Amino acid sequence: MQRDLAAMSATEYDLVIVGGGITGASTAWDASLRGLKVALLEKDDFAHATTSGSSKLVHGGLRYLVNGELKLVRESLRERRIWENVAPHMVHPLPFVIPTYGWGMKGPLVLGIGLALYDLLSFDRNWLSDDDKKLPGFRRLSKGKALDLVPSLKREGLTGAMVYYDCQMFAPERLCLECIEGAVECGADVANYAEVTGFTTEAAMGRGVKVTGVSVADEVTGATHTIRGKVVVNAAGPWADKTMAMADETPARRLIRSKGIHIITRDLSGDHALAVQSSIGGHFFVIPWRGYTIIGTTDTVFEEDPDELGVTEKDIADFLAVVNDGLPGLHLKREDVIHFYAGIRPLVDTTPQEVPGAETDGESTKEAEKKDSYNASRAAEVYDHAPEEAIDGLISAIGGKWTTSRHLAEQVVDLALKKLGRAAKCETQCTPVYGGDMARLKTYVARAQKRHPHLAPDIVENLVNFYGSRIDEVLATADEKPGEREALLKRIAPDNPVIGVQVVHAVRHEMALHLDDVIFRRTGLGTLGNPGSPVVKQVAELMGRELGWDETALANEISGTVRLFETIPGK
């Protein structure tokens, strides 16, 4: 996977995709599998924003049942199964505990009915090739067993708990990258740090304009390019409405941006996740992940520039209050927070543009126009700009969620093919992602450990977790230059399974251009918090040798990455 914007500017594409998060990545993968010539452009690094800032869950959306969104729940549950099949090294079953209180809406009867419906809608959940991935139906726990499992639960009114199953991702940013790598393997051209600054257009037959491509600013060289495409897909996530505004100053679709923060702390719940209701801040999850616990997420409207997203100390303090209200036995404090991160959910704004009969400057207008991100639908929309805005050749993929991104991409490519006058069936529901071609995961790990006896078992297992069936390609990077092998197969840190070849492979073959690309999105070294100055420095030096960084560039990369582990000033 090599970056070459100059070559891309000399090529005409069937599809130009704006955005390298999971929606853009899935669209590129799908379109490439269907034989389209695809270009993908990302203004930062792949998966740098919402895609990596998630709760790491692939789930059906149990709470959407309350809103009557049965179609969305069914879609999500089907897609959960597909991700388990096509990415077996990345998507794994996860049991959830939900405490029950009293005998009303939070009691076992109502929750049991909801979970029975959830299981019914996931009737195909065990149509899987790996028996270890199969998900049991829900079951009820007594009050005593619930407290044995989760001693920190609120005891007043507790009547027991329910256990049900969803899934989680080992590394969402890696899964996104694997969709992109799969597209590249099928002929797609991709570039990160390539910001789309506008659309190129020509007069359309009859009315309006036709989009013929995009203008791109190369952050690396400072050069500008025009990338031509017969159809352009706006998959910019939280920036989708801003991208639409490049084509029409008053776009027909608006977004609600919902900010969600997560904190990472010590292991709190063992193998089980918890779904907890707080009286002061809605529901949140307590999720086991890589030996630690992710707690998330908040859900507040974010009206600032999405490029300014960050976590403040107030965000953390407010969220800890919510968590300690929902699980008073935890007594979590600021010093218990090992790491934190934030993401923005791009939600389709379904509120009316104008409120009929409302005062133009009164409180009634403010209330009518007040955005509600918590109750807003997570459903996506594929929007063709031609019928309403007379802008042909432009499709926007708006909203949605991680779990349903593959299906959203399928709908986008279906529409693009219709515009191109071509036909081809989607194959992503039955094609392994790049690295997903294996049978039973546990068996594959055991075989890989036998095949590489010179590496410690935990190193091999970690390689399989990150690269799946492509681990030999990664290890082969150690033999590309004479004399490197021994050094590159050593651990980055004594207590960490990441080895040097992963860093070098990320630069040579995965388009990693900055230190944080590797620390956060290629190796996972920083996803559990600051790995320490020696690790950061060693990774920077490995990258610097590959990319020709001088001492100033090296220092800037290190300081820039370290800042990402710090909170931002509150406003």
Side-chain angles (χ1 to χ4, degrees), residues 252 254-256 347-355 367-372 376:
R254 299 186 299 173
L255 290 180
I256 299 174
L347 308 175
V348 180
D349 187 355
T350 57
T351 58
Q353 299 277 351
E354 296 180 0
V355 183
E367 285 302 313
E369 292 182 345
K370 185 178 180 181
K371 302 295 184 288
D372 180 0

Side-chain angles (χ1 to χ4, degrees), residues 10-56:
T11 306
E12 183 169 0
Y13 295 93
D14 296 313
L15 212 62
V16 174
I17 300 166
V18 182
I22 188 55
T23 300
S26 295
T27 303
W29 181 40
D30 187 330
S32 299
L33 281 171
R34 298 204 222 183
L36 297 183
K37 184 61 178 172
V38 175
L40 181 143
L41 303 160
E42 165 56 51
K43 76 183 188 73
D44 203 286
D45 187 30
F46 306 122
H48 83 286
T50 300
T51 296
S52 58
S54 73
S55 300
K56 326 294 185 192

Side-chain angles (χ1 to χ4, degrees), residues 199 234 236-237 239-255 383 385 389 391 394-398:
F199 295 105
N234 168 20
W239 292 266
D241 54 350
K242 293 178 177 291
T243 303
M244 283 188 278
M246 295 179 188
D248 189 321
E249 292 182 357
T250 55
R253 294 295 184 273
R254 299 186 299 173
L255 290 180
Y383 179 63
H385 290 256
E389 297 173 300
I391 303 172
L394 178 61
I395 300 169
S396 287
I398 317 166

Side-chain angles (χ1 to χ4, degrees), residues 240-512:
D241 54 350
K242 293 178 177 291
T243 303
M244 283 188 278
M246 295 179 188
D248 189 321
E249 292 182 357
T250 55
R253 294 295 184 273
R254 299 186 299 173
L255 290 180
I256 299 174
R257 294 180 182 84
S258 168
K259 176 180 177 179
I261 77 158
H262 299 77
I263 58 176
I264 295 179
T265 186
R266 64 185 185 275
D267 178 15
L268 297 175
S269 60
D271 295 332
H272 288 72
L274 310 177
V276 181
Q277 186 76 27
S278 167
S279 61
I280 62 174
H283 86 283
F284 61 89
F285 293 124
V286 179
I287 305 166
W289 192 62
R290 299 190 197 173
Y292 292 82
T293 296
I294 297 173
I295 306 179
T297 175
T298 60
D299 199 330
T300 55
V301 173
F302 186 73
E303 296 181 335
E304 300 169 41
D305 189 321
D307 286 317
E308 302 301 318
L309 179 69
V311 178
T312 67
E313 287 295 330
K314 185 177 186 303
D315 288 335
I316 295 174
D318 290 348
F319 190 41
L320 285 175
V322 170
V323 173
N324 286 323
D325 175 73
L327 291 170
L330 287 182
H331 305 293
L332 284 182
K333 300 176 182 177
R334 176 63 179 89
E335 53 265 32
D336 295 315
V337 178
I338 298 167
H339 186 45
F340 47 82
Y341 61 92
I344 297 178
R345 306 172 194 86
L347 308 175
V348 180
D349 187 355
T350 57
T351 58
Q353 299 277 351
E354 296 180 0
V355 183
E359 297 294 331
T360 57
D361 58 352
E363 287 300 318
S364 58
T365 299
K366 293 179 182 178
E367 285 302 313
E369 292 182 345
K370 185 178 180 181
K371 302 295 184 288
D372 180 0
S373 60
Y374 182 80
N375 291 306
S377 174
R378 267 54 175 172
E381 180 181 2
V382 178
Y383 179 63
D384 183 352
H385 290 256
E388 290 187 36
E389 297 173 300
I391 303 172
D392 196 17
L394 178 61
I395 300 169
S396 287
I398 317 166
K401 50 193 284 246
W402 225 113
T403 305
T404 55
S405 56
R406 188 214 63 86
H407 187 228
L408 174 59
E410 179 181 344
Q411 297 169 72
V412 170
V413 178
D414 284 346
L415 179 55
L417 283 167
K418 184 178 179 181
K419 286 182 169 293
L420 293 168
R422 295 167 63 174
K425 290 185 178 179
C426 177
E427 297 181 7
T428 53
Q429 81 281 4
C430 57
T431 303
V433 298
Y434 191 91
D437 191 7
M438 61 180 66
R440 188 171 181 238
L441 175 60
K442 287 182 181 178
T443 304
Y444 187 88
V445 171
R447 289 201 309 265
Q449 288 169 335
K450 288 181 180 179
R451 197 167 67 248
H452 298 286
H454 56 291
L455 295 174
D458 67 319
I459 290 176
V460 177
E461 184 176 4
N462 187 64
L463 288 169
V464 174
N465 285 335
F466 274 96
Y467 308 100
S469 58
R470 304 287 182 147
I471 66 168
D472 291 334
E473 296 175 16
V474 178
L475 292 171
T477 302
D479 296 317
E480 288 177 345
K481 294 181 180 179
E484 286 189 332
R485 180 179 176 82
E486 184 178 352
L488 292 184
L489 296 185
K490 290 182 179 179
R491 298 174 188 265
I492 293 291
D495 58 346
N496 197 295
V498 175
I499 55 178
V501 71
Q502 295 177 250
V503 176
V504 174
H505 183 81
V507 175
R508 294 181 189 171
H509 303 290
E510 293 182 339
M511 244 177 257

